[in-house]
Amino acid sequence: KHGFLTDDLINLLGPEFIGAPACSTTNLYNAFEGGLVLHILNTTKYAVSINEMLPEDKQVNATSLIKLCFLHQIGKSKMFVEQTSQWHKDNKGEMFKFNEDLLSMTVTERSVYYALSSGVSLSEDEVFAMYNYNEDFSGRPMKTNGEKLAAIHVKFPSFAE
């Protein structure tokens, strides 16, 4: 419906995407198999709801918002591997560790790379929002769609986990 889940992207993400955790340690959110998909679905659900509650002049394009929510952390799909040390699991809550076979990139860099290399087109505003979704936009006028997308996309949904 929204045209961004290309066959190439689905193949690139592979089965690891379905089982991927959102984080590596239990003191963060969704550090369990399937945690990434749950995070993405929750983020999308709440961002769309928030967008619909806003005055029409503050809303962003729903298709762009949904695309952004789905793509913003796909870079984590292969980022973690299971922690094999029981001591780290028991004493540090480290259920997963970083996949040392991957070139070191931020989640956003890898997410944008995966999307673009799979034929997903991203607007300048969408790339801006992916790189800036953790920014505090409270003191800014939010004149661009990228600023609006970044502000709506994660500020509130992250509390829902």
Side-chain angles (χ1 to χ4, degrees):
K1 177 179 178 180
H2 298 285
F4 61 87
L5 288 176
T6 66
D7 288 341
D8 287 343
L9 181 61
I10 291 168
N11 289 332
L12 174 69
L13 296 176
E16 297 92 345
F17 175 67
I18 300 300
C23 291
S24 61
T25 59
T26 56
N27 65 328
L28 298 171
Y29 62 96
N30 296 11
F32 51 83
E33 285 189 25
L36 178 59
V37 169
L38 181 60
H39 168 70
I40 288 171
L41 292 174
N42 282 335
T43 298
T44 304
K45 177 175 86 172
Y46 289 108
V48 168
S49 295
I50 290 165
N51 192 46
E52 290 172 350
M53 289 187 276
L54 292 172
E56 195 169 320
D57 66 322
K58 303 287 185 200
Q59 290 181 10
V60 296
N61 176 280
T63 297
S64 190
L65 181 62
I66 291 166
K67 181 197 313 186
L68 176 66
C69 290
F70 266 84
L71 297 176
H72 83 285
Q73 289 195 344
I74 61 170
K76 289 183 176 180
S77 63
K78 299 171 194 260
M79 181 176 276
F80 302 112
V81 295
E82 186 177 352
Q83 174 58 264
T84 55
S85 164
Q86 193 61 45
W87 186 90
H88 282 83
K89 288 180 179 181
D90 294 342
N91 296 293
K92 293 184 138 196
E94 190 176 287
M95 308 313 287
F96 300 90
K97 59 185 178 179
F98 287 97
N99 182 350
E100 295 177 6
D101 292 335
L102 293 179
L103 179 65
S104 180
M105 291 183 183
T106 67
V107 173
T108 301
E109 289 167 341
R110 189 165 298 283
S111 296
V112 169
Y113 170 72
Y114 283 173
L116 294 176
S117 66
S118 299
V120 176
S121 95
L122 295 170
S123 70
E124 182 179 18
D125 287 325
E126 290 164 345
V127 172
F128 175 88
M130 286 180 76
Y131 273 95
N132 292 284
Y133 69 86
N134 280 327
E135 297 298 319
D136 181 2
F137 288 91
S138 62
R140 294 174 67 172
M142 292 194 301
K143 294 179 183 177
T144 71
N145 285 329
E147 291 168 326
K148 290 177 186 178
L149 277 168
I152 293 171
H153 155 238
V154 165
K155 283 301 169 209
F156 299 103
S158 60
F159 294 115
E161 313 272 22

